């Protein structure tokens, strides 16, 4: 199982580290445009192999896509991250060109690859890859909801004063400060609805904190987050590589599901060896449906800025 990660920056390197530590891939190739950078990150990570007990071979490449040939899965993290005060949408001008070029280069060397898009604004970048590559739609997946759901569970565990592992929950919708739809109605603590423990006000606070999760970290760090993003991507990679049939909210190209078409947005999906194998349609209540519709309008507005 060969995994390529384009962009050896904060998220790409974190993803490579988690993939290696989970020890399911034979090979990880890190590729970056910055001379020597991916090679350096790969060597540093390889020197953790005996410390962390993994056998995955990690190599680096400065923009040489021949090294990525025959990848099964490729992750696109290349592009610029936001700075405090910015929205993800503001990154479109620079990142669209990068994502378009990188996805085309990847496919030239790995025509059967499954692509996981991470660069922001992620839903729009995923849509761009669908529009420009011609890959089947199950082979292009946007990562956002897995991360947003992890942050949601973290915020719920804070409110419940319990370990995060006690909590289950999901965030669907667009991966933006205003577009996320945390499904508080369906969240549970050990199968008991969290609504049994937390007031509506407290749950609203949890939702709001979740939605600005990325912005909160960007303000603290001066750039956007990488540990949880890298871990979330590695979860998607593992589900595909190991044919796990796990369900994650992913940015998927919709064709009527949830009453939406011609956009990529976060919905629950089953991931396995064929990539995004199935979109799961939840029965949303009226308030959730309205939030999803509004979120989709936001994503479509950003898609409108693309030259496709
Ligand atoms: N979807 C999500 O949930 C998340 C998305 N992100 C996004 O991921 C992207 C990467 O974030 P970071 O890793 O923090 O940024 P970073 O700046 O640390 O790393 C980005 C890397 O991409 C490389 N790069 C730029 N153009 C390239 C090209 N044409 N080919 C190959 N490499 C190229 C840069 O040299 C740099 O090393 C950003 O757009 C960020 O907004 C970040 C966190 C979560
Ligand atoms: O906040 C950002 O810009 C990066 C990102 O998508 C996240 O951490 O959720």
């Amino acid at each position: 199982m060969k995994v390529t990660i384009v962009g050896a920056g904060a998220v790409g390197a974190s993803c490579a580290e988690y993939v290696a530590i989970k020890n399911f891939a034979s090979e990880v190739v890190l590729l970056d445009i910055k001379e020597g950078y991916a090679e350096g990150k790969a060597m540093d990570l390889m020197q953790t192999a005996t410390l962390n007990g993994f056998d995955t071979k990690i190599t680096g490449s400065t923009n040489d896509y021949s090294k990525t040939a025959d990848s099964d899965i490729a992750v696109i993290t290349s592009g610029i991250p936001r700075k405090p005060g910015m929205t993800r949408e503001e990154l479109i001008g620079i990142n669209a060109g990068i994502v378009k070029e990188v996805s085309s280069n990847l496919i030239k060397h790995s025509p059967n690859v499954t692509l996981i898009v991470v660069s922001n604004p992620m839903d729009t970048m995923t849509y761009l890859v669908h529009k420009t590559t011609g890959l089947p739609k199950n082979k292009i997946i946007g990562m956002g909801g897995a991360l947003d759901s992890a942050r949601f569970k973290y915020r719920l565990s804070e409110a419940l004063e319990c370990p995060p592992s006690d909590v289950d929950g999901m965030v669907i919708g667009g991966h933006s400060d205003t577009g996320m739809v945390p499904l508080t109605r369906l969240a549970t603590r050990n199968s008991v609805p969290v609504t049994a423990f937390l007031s509506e006000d407290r749950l609203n606070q949890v939702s709001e904190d979740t939605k600005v999760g990325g912005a909160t970290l960007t303000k603290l760090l001066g750039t956007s987050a990488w540990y949880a993003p890298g871990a979330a991507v590695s979860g998607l990679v593992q589900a595909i590589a190991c044919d796990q049939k796990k369900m994650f909210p992913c940015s998927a190209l919709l064709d009527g599901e949830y009453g939406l078409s011609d956009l990529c947005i976060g919905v629950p999906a089953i991931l396995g060896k064929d990539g995004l194998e199935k979109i799961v349609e939840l029965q949303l209540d009226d308030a959730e449906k309205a939030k999803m519709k509004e979120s989709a309008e936001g994503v479509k507005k950003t898609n409108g800025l693309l030259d496709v």
Side-chain angles (χ1 to χ4, degrees), residues 9-11 32-34 77-81 95 118 120 143 147 175:
V11 177
D32 203 284
I33 202 164
K34 240 189 278 174
T77 74
S78 45
I80 54 164
N95 286 355
V118 181
N120 274 315
M143 194 298 290
L147 170 63
H175 181 63

Side-chain angles (χ1 to χ4, degrees), residues 19-297:
V19 167
I21 284 175
K22 292 177 184 180
N23 216 10
F24 60 84
S26 49
E27 194 179 351
V28 170
V29 178
L30 269 171
L31 182 145
D32 203 284
I33 202 164
K34 240 189 278 174
E35 186 69 41
Y37 195 58
E39 289 86 338
K41 291 269 182 122
M43 193 186 291
D44 194 7
L45 282 168
M46 272 311 282
Q47 290 169 2
T48 71
T50 54
L51 299 164
N52 285 329
F54 63 78
D55 300 316
T56 304
K57 182 181 166 203
I58 310 170
T59 55
S61 160
T62 303
N63 223 27
D64 176 2
Y65 281 83
S66 67
K67 303 261 173 63
T68 71
D70 300 321
S71 292
D72 300 285
I73 301 169
V75 177
I76 302 177
T77 74
S78 45
I80 54 164
R82 63 173 156 167
K83 298 234 174 303
M86 288 173 76
T87 65
R88 296 177 180 88
E89 289 73 15
E90 286 174 68
L91 305 173
I92 190 171
I94 292 178
N95 286 355
I98 294 173
V99 169
K100 192 171 166 190
E101 188 197 319
V102 164
S103 52
S104 150
N105 285 336
L106 283 168
I107 291 164
K108 265 183 223 151
H109 293 84
S110 305
N112 298 317
V113 73
T114 297
L115 294 179
I116 301 179
V117 181
V118 181
S119 311
N120 274 315
M122 182 278 298
D123 297 293
T124 295
M125 293 302 101
T126 308
Y127 181 74
L128 173 69
V129 174
H130 277 288
K131 285 284 172 195
T132 54
T133 61
L135 272 187
K137 71 177 192 176
N138 57 307
K139 289 192 166 270
I140 302 169
I141 303 164
M143 194 298 290
L147 170 63
D148 303 332
S149 301
R151 289 179 176 152
F152 181 40
K153 288 180 258 191
Y154 162 76
R155 288 296 185 192
L156 281 169
S157 75
E158 263 187 346
L160 290 161
E161 297 180 18
C162 74
S165 59
D166 251 16
V167 180
D168 202 3
M170 191 157 56
V171 177
I172 59 172
H175 181 63
S176 70
D177 296 342
T178 52
M180 289 177 209
V181 184
L183 296 174
T184 48
R185 179 179 62 91
L186 301 177
T188 59
R189 177 180 184 183
N190 286 348
S191 78
V192 182
V194 295
T195 48
F197 304 114
L198 298 172
S199 68
E200 199 179 330
D201 276 358
R202 189 67 184 91
L203 281 171
N204 284 340
Q205 187 59 51
V206 164
S207 288
E208 290 314 306
D209 289 345
T210 300
K211 285 161 70 177
V212 295
T216 302
L217 284 162
T218 302
K219 194 169 168 207
L220 289 167
L221 296 167
T223 183
S224 56
W226 56 89
Y227 293 118
V233 184
S234 77
L236 268 55
V237 173
Q238 185 174 22
I240 299 164
C242 303
D243 195 23
Q244 286 176 325
K245 317 290 186 201
K246 277 182 83 130
M247 182 164 77
F248 289 95
C250 298
S251 191
L253 184 66
L254 299 189
D255 182 18
E257 298 91 347
Y258 290 88
L260 302 169
S261 296
D262 194 32
L263 84 167
C264 293
I265 195 165
V267 291
I270 307 300
L271 300 190
K273 66 177 174 6
D274 294 324
L276 197 157
E277 296 187 350
K278 188 177 186 293
I279 291 172
V280 178
E281 284 216 62
L282 303 173
Q283 287 304 315
L284 300 181
D285 68 19
D286 287 346
E288 291 157 353
K289 276 185 201 156
K291 285 183 191 156
M292 196 64 178
K293 186 163 174 274
E294 196 182 333
S295 180
E297 280 159 11

